[in-house]
Every structure is written in C-alpha cells, then in structure tokens.
Amino acid sequence: MTDKNIQLTSTISEDNKLTLALQEIDMPQPGADEVVVRIEAAPLNPSDLGVMFSAANMATAVQSGTDENPVITADVPAQFMPSLKTRVGKATPVGNEGAGTVVAAGSSDAAQALMGKTVAVIGGGTYRQYHCVNVQSCLELKEGTTAKEGASSFVNPLTALAMVETMRAEGHKAIIHAAAASSLGQMLNRICIADGIDLINIVRRDEQETLLRDMGAKYVVNSSSDNFIADLTAAIIETGATISFDPIGGGQLSSDILNCMETAITRDVEEYSVYGSDTFKQAYIYGALNRGPITLNRNFGFAWGVNGFLLFNALGKLGTKTVMSMRKRVAEEITTTFASSYTHEVSLAEALKLQSIAAYGKQATGEKYLITPQA
Ligand SMILES: NC(=O)c1ccc[n+]([C@@H]2O[C@H](COP(=O)([O-])OP(=O)(O)OC[C@H]3O[C@@H](n4cnc5c(N)ncnc54)[C@H](OP(=O)(O)O)[C@@H]3O)[C@@H](O)[C@H]2O)c1
C-alpha cells in the first residue's frame, strides 16, 4: 500500500460552473467494522453521470490542465442553480460502486475475514484509488472472480432483482420494461428467462430488438414502429402484465403503457364505466434518460399509480431476508446472469478527457466505460 490516494470529484461553484478534477486525498484508516479496498475497476453508469455532470450542459465542456491532471469545466444553466444549493462549493466524490482487493481491515471479525479478498463495494466515491467502507457495503466475490467482473455487482444487478421481487410483492404476474436493451435490461431478461417470468421489452431501435431476441427474449416491441401501441397491447393481453419500469421518464411512454394495459384489461368488457377498470396498474419511473416533462394522457381510468423507483428505497421495502438472498445470487451469478460488458477501460485521468466524456455521456447501448483507478 502506498501513501498516494487520488479521487475524481465534481464541484459546482457559485458562478454557475461545473468542475471535474482529480484530487489528492489522505490514505484512509479503517475503523473497527471497516475495510480499505484498493479499487481496481468501477463502472461509469447513468446514475454516476447524474452526480458527475449534475445539471451542467456538457455541450459547453472545456478541457484544461495537463494530460495527467485534466480539468473539465462546463456551464450550469442558471435555472438549475437553486436546486443545487447544497452542492455549491463542495467537491463531491463520484462513483457509486466498484471492486477491488481489501488491503487493510479494522479489528472486528467481519472486517478481518475480508482481508486480502476481492470484494465489490457500494457507496459514494468509488472513482478513487483506495476507498474505506463498512463491511456491510462489501460483497465478497467468489474465488476466481476478478475485480473487473465484479465491478458492477450492486446497482444494476440488485435493481433488476428488486424489480422482480417488487412485481411478486405487489401481486403482479408479468413485467414491462423500457429502454430494455440497457445493461440492466439484459440482466432482467436473463433473470426472467431463468425464473419463468413473462417480460415485455420496449426498445427504440431494430438492432436492440435483434440483440434481445438473440438472448431468448420472447416479447420485444419497438417504440419507433407504427405498430407500437398495437404490438404492446397484444403482448399485454398475452402476458397479463400490470406493472412497468421505465428509466426514460420524460415524454409519454409510461402513459402509453398504462393506456395499453387498460385497453388490454377492458377488451372484453361490454358495459362502459366512466371510472375505467378496477384492475390496479402500476408504472414505475426509475431513471431520467429524458429529463423533459412526464406527460400523462389519461385514458386509463382511476386504478393506477405512477411512482418513482429507487434501488435503496426498494431494498428497504423488501426486507433483510430477501435482500440477503438477492446479494447471494449476484455473487454466485456475476459472470453469467449479471455479467456486464465494457467497450473501454480508462484511467481516472482518461475519464476526464473530452473525447471519453462525449462517448460515455451518450449512455448508448453497449457503450459502457470502466474506470481502472490503478492504471
Ligand atoms: N432507480 C434506480 O435505483 C436505478 C438503478 C440502476 C439503474 N438505473 C437506471 O437504469 C437505466 C439503465 O442503466 P444501464 O447502466 O443499464 O444503462 P446503459 O447500459 O448505459 O444503457 C442505457 C440505455 O438507455 C437507452 N437510452 C438512452 N437515452 C434514451 C432515451 N432518451 N430514450 C430511450 N432510451 C434511451 C440507450 O439506448 P440507445 O442506444 O438507443 O440510446 C441504452 O439502451 C439508467 O437510466 C439508470 O439511471 C436506476
């Protein structure tokens, strides 16, 4: 272990500027129930970009500094500044998860048991070389699993599993998922195929349809097709899906989904009711890929809910026993069901190059970056 520890931070200043930079910080000392993990791999996911770019307009981004120590600045539109006031002037560490080797451990048995092990970690600030975390925030990876394979063990795997558990807990029998060719969407397909759950995938491009069908997905509908509404309704009639998860948010997709559910449910009803069907239809919005307004065109009666869905809140509702079994499944199936793939590996400095930012900032299918902070 060296004395050098570097982290990537995101700062918003009073003059409406975002600054992304590398910062030298102290080497952490673990408390009794903590371990220090040498972070060897950390994914760049949309949720990380939310912290990293915040509300900045990245089209205005400029790079300065040196090759080893790049600095990115970008403008934050004035209308967003009031909602960011708790961030102003604070260098916020970036990175929700990652994996690496435990190089120092506190005195508790649980911490000592992890010494030398490869673990995945969850908890703000993984885009750094050495991270100190509580043992509860670690997932011990199976022997032979590499840090790169385990880097995305929490955010996407647990969210995909939480969707399935939420479907079960809330009494639905099939799921509709949007932006379904995402990393998370591919995991959800593997879970649903393995567990015999009907999953309707909504994608927006032909190649995404092919990708999911080649994985064995039975229901894939394309929102760019003229037949989208008819195709979605037909798939809902076949599966009985009454719950959806949409990471896009802005626009009217969740509204379209609720309307298709209602059409499917009421298809054989002969008597008109101004209140619609009494079958409860749930639309969860779990991302902000489109930051525009959410539009609801209400032709779906009164038995419906549109709610936010966040992993940590969902885990709280599902309870410790379910969460422990979800974590166990992830550790066992991290190279199969929950495998992530990355198109580029970049050092902390390379992650702050305009060229990299332009690529991973697109959040496009199959364009995921992995940060390797030791490089
Ligand atoms: N709420 C939570 O707790 C939670 C937890 C985990 C993940 N998430 C969310 O889950 C989503 C997926 O994460 P990921 O890591 O799996 O993503 P990813 O692999 O980077 O894929 C992103 C996907 O979104 C699509 N996309 C991007 N912008 C879009 C838009 N405006 N309209 C429609 N589709 C769009 C992309 O398709 P194209 O190639 O067509 O652009 C791509 O398939 C993210 O939004 C993330 O924030 C939320």
Side-chain angles (χ1 to χ4, degrees), residues 59-281:
T60 65
V62 193
Q63 185 182 328
S64 57
T66 61
D67 266 3
E68 296 75 44
N69 213 349
V71 176
I72 299 287
T73 47
D75 296 336
V76 180
Q79 80 254 32
F80 298 122
M81 289 301 288
S83 63
L84 298 171
K85 65 175 190 294
T86 52
R87 274 198 59 170
V88 170
K90 292 178 192 157
T92 306
V94 189
N96 287 324
E97 65 180 330
T101 311
V102 175
V103 293
S107 57
S108 75
D109 290 348
Q112 285 293 318
L114 290 178
M115 191 61 201
K117 298 276 171 59
T118 305
V119 295
V121 299
I122 181 86
T126 53
Y127 297 170
R128 68 177 67 169
Q129 293 177 318
Y130 294 89
H131 194 23
C132 186
V133 287
N134 189 283
V135 288
Q136 305 281 358
S137 303
C138 295
L139 179 70
E140 185 179 338
L141 297 171
K142 270 195 323 184
E143 212 173 314
T145 306
T146 65
K148 286 179 188 173
E149 289 168 336
S152 299
S153 290
F154 282 94
V155 178
N156 284 340
L158 290 181
T159 305
L161 281 172
M163 290 174 180
V164 171
E165 293 302 336
T166 300
M167 174 209 75
R168 291 190 175 118
E170 296 182 1
H172 303 273
K173 61 174 196 170
I175 298 174
I176 300 172
H177 186 228
S182 65
S183 279
L184 190 157
Q186 294 178 39
M187 290 177 196
L188 187 59
N189 269 282
R190 291 186 213 111
I191 297 167
C192 289
I193 291 167
D195 293 8
I197 296 163
D198 281 336
L199 172 66
I200 303 172
N201 295 280
I202 300 177
V203 297
R204 64 173 176 177
R205 299 182 206 277
D206 292 345
E207 57 270 31
Q208 295 167 344
E209 202 171 332
T210 308
L211 185 149
L212 294 181
R213 286 202 194 279
D214 287 351
M215 286 177 64
K218 185 170 173 195
Y219 301 99
V220 190
V221 293
N222 191 331
S223 59
S224 307
S225 151
D226 291 342
N227 293 331
F228 171 57
I229 297 295
D231 291 347
L232 179 57
T233 308
I236 295 172
I237 291 172
E238 256 190 72
T239 59
T242 46
I243 186 169
S244 64
F245 294 91
D246 168 18
I248 301 166
Q252 61 173 51
L253 183 61
S254 282
S255 173
D256 288 345
I257 292 170
L258 288 168
N259 281 319
C260 291
M261 286 177 184
E262 182 71 358
T263 306
I265 291 161
T266 55
R267 67 192 181 282
D268 294 327
V269 172
E270 288 183 0
E271 213 164 301
Y272 171 77
S273 162
V274 69
Y275 304 118
S277 75
D278 57 9
T279 303
F280 190 74
K281 300 162 289 293

